[in-house]
Amino acid sequence: MLDVIEIDINVKGFSIKNISLNVKTHTIHCLIGPTGCGKTTLLEAILGLRKIKKGKIFLEGKDITNFPVHKRGFSYVPQDLAIFPHLTVQENIFYGIHYGNVKDKKESYKRAIELAKILGISHLLQRRAVNLSGGERQRVALARALASDQKYILLDEPFSSLHEGMKKELWFLLKELQKKFDFTILMISHDLEEIFFLSDYISVMMEGRILQTDKKEIVYYNPKTLPIAKFLGIKNIFSAKFISVEQEYYKFYCDSLQKEIILQKQKIENFSKKNIMLGIRSEDILILRSDPPKKNENLLKGVIKEIFSAGSNVTILFQPYGSQELLEIIIPEFVVIQLSLKPQIEAIAELRSERFFVLE
């Protein structure tokens, strides 16, 4: 387990204040946030490349705050990969084993060859790194990091320069290797699809502070604050006024939708405010052509304004009657075909009560 406890870091024109982070053993933990929020600075401080002003860093219960980089127990893949162009692929992969603090070098060399085979670069071992493609360099950097006898791996946007097909191939490989060798990985990425595919836990960082840390499913469906929801690309966010409380739900009025909204009680803890901010993901809104056969809550009649196709999914902009709000709805393309949906026709949007989240 990696524990970062209340650390402060000062760099030119920027500071990280009172950051705490817990990375559980044998998990992939992803740091996300806007460019310039301090993710790489935090990763470099954990690695020992940046001095911290205050706080402690523990690895498996040991205080490593003042340890030099090579004694901290991490492998690291920086954004630029740091591949040595004058060395062969094998020499690059073996570099950390040969020069690092590795206890069982024989076993590590054996594992390095196995990693090269799994990553599909065993046929390149004698090739000079200067002659490698971008995808091959990425695989070499991963193999070198994973072969170095360290169980804790720090990755700084390791797949950012690759095309979609190559990225996804390496996502599967990284998940496979992490499970096979019990690695613990702390990783930075800007790719939200990559984050939610790879991670077990996510920390959202903004302006030098961590605003939310939780299992990825919770971050995905229940972002804590408005800035987090906006960063995750959630468009459907509304203010709502409290009306009444029933046995199993609260009732609110959403002025921008001109509609009463039903919200399940378990979605709000310790509710005391009369006004709240509600959000719902675009894929959690259903679209219908007629009233459903059973009584449903949170139904909005309106008009489809625009339809945008993006491969197998379609984005619909829907305007409820009496409202200036445009709801963003994402549904599979086959639903559009089945319901004969097109711009300017009337439809019904169902906002699923159990899928709303409440912002702090």
Side-chain angles (χ1 to χ4, degrees), residues 183-202:
F183 293 122
T184 301
I185 297 174
L186 177 59
M187 172 179 163
I188 292 173
S189 176
H190 280 99
D191 186 325
L192 292 179
E193 184 183 3
E194 179 174 283
I195 288 290
F196 287 106
F197 181 92
L198 288 172
S199 65
D200 299 298
Y201 291 86
I202 292 173

Side-chain angles (χ1 to χ4, degrees), residues 47 55 100 104 153 207 247 262 266 293 300 330:
L47 185 64
D104 190 341
I153 317 296
E207 297 180 347
Q247 189 172 358
I262 299 300
Q266 63 263 35
L300 298 171
I330 297 177

Side-chain angles (χ1 to χ4, degrees), residues 10 25 39 51 62 67 72 79 81 102 115-116 125 134-135 160 176 195 208-209 223 265-266 279-280 283 288:
N10 288 334
T25 308
K39 301 182 300 296
K51 188 175 181 180
K62 182 187 292 185
F67 281 25
R72 292 203 172 202
Q79 289 184 35
L81 304 180
V102 177
L115 285 165
L125 289 175
S160 61
E176 177 188 341
I195 288 290
R209 289 164 176 78
K265 277 188 174 179
Q266 63 263 35
I280 187 168
E283 60 266 34
L288 314 166

Side-chain angles (χ1 to χ4, degrees), residues 116-131:
K117 184 176 181 181
I118 294 171
L119 286 166
I121 54 174
S122 55
H123 65 293
L124 301 173
L125 289 175
Q126 301 310 314
R127 183 179 296 182
R128 294 282 176 184
V130 71
N131 297 318

Side-chain angles (χ1 to χ4, degrees), residues 88-97 112 116 121 125 140 143-144 147:
T88 65
V89 168
Q90 180 170 288
E91 288 168 340
N92 268 281
I93 296 172
F94 285 179
Y95 190 89
I97 302 171
I121 54 174
L125 289 175
V140 172
R144 182 177 61 189

Side-chain angles (χ1 to χ4, degrees), residues 300-304 318-322 344-349:
L300 298 171
K301 289 187 177 182
V303 175
I304 293 174
F318 175 87
Q319 186 172 26
Y321 287 138
Q344 305 309 317
I345 69 167
E346 185 177 85
I348 300 169

Side-chain angles (χ1 to χ4, degrees), residues 152-199:
Y152 289 83
I153 317 296
L154 306 181
L155 306 177
D156 193 350
E157 299 192 53
F159 311 122
S160 61
S161 62
L162 302 180
H163 63 73
E164 286 301 306
M166 181 65 70
K167 273 188 186 181
K168 291 182 178 180
E169 185 179 342
L170 287 175
W171 294 352
F172 281 103
L173 284 171
L174 183 60
K175 290 288 279 187
E176 177 188 341
L177 292 168
Q178 187 256 337
K179 290 177 180 177
K180 181 179 177 65
F181 295 106
D182 289 330
F183 293 122
T184 301
I185 297 174
L186 177 59
M187 172 179 163
I188 292 173
S189 176
H190 280 99
D191 186 325
L192 292 179
E193 184 183 3
E194 179 174 283
I195 288 290
F196 287 106
F197 181 92
L198 288 172
S199 65

Side-chain angles (χ1 to χ4, degrees), residues 247-261:
Q247 189 172 358
E248 295 181 356
Y249 57 83
Y250 294 109
K251 186 179 288 186
F252 294 87
Y253 184 77
C254 183
D255 189 60
S256 64
L257 297 177
Q258 296 288 294
K259 175 71 177 177
E260 288 184 358
I261 296 294

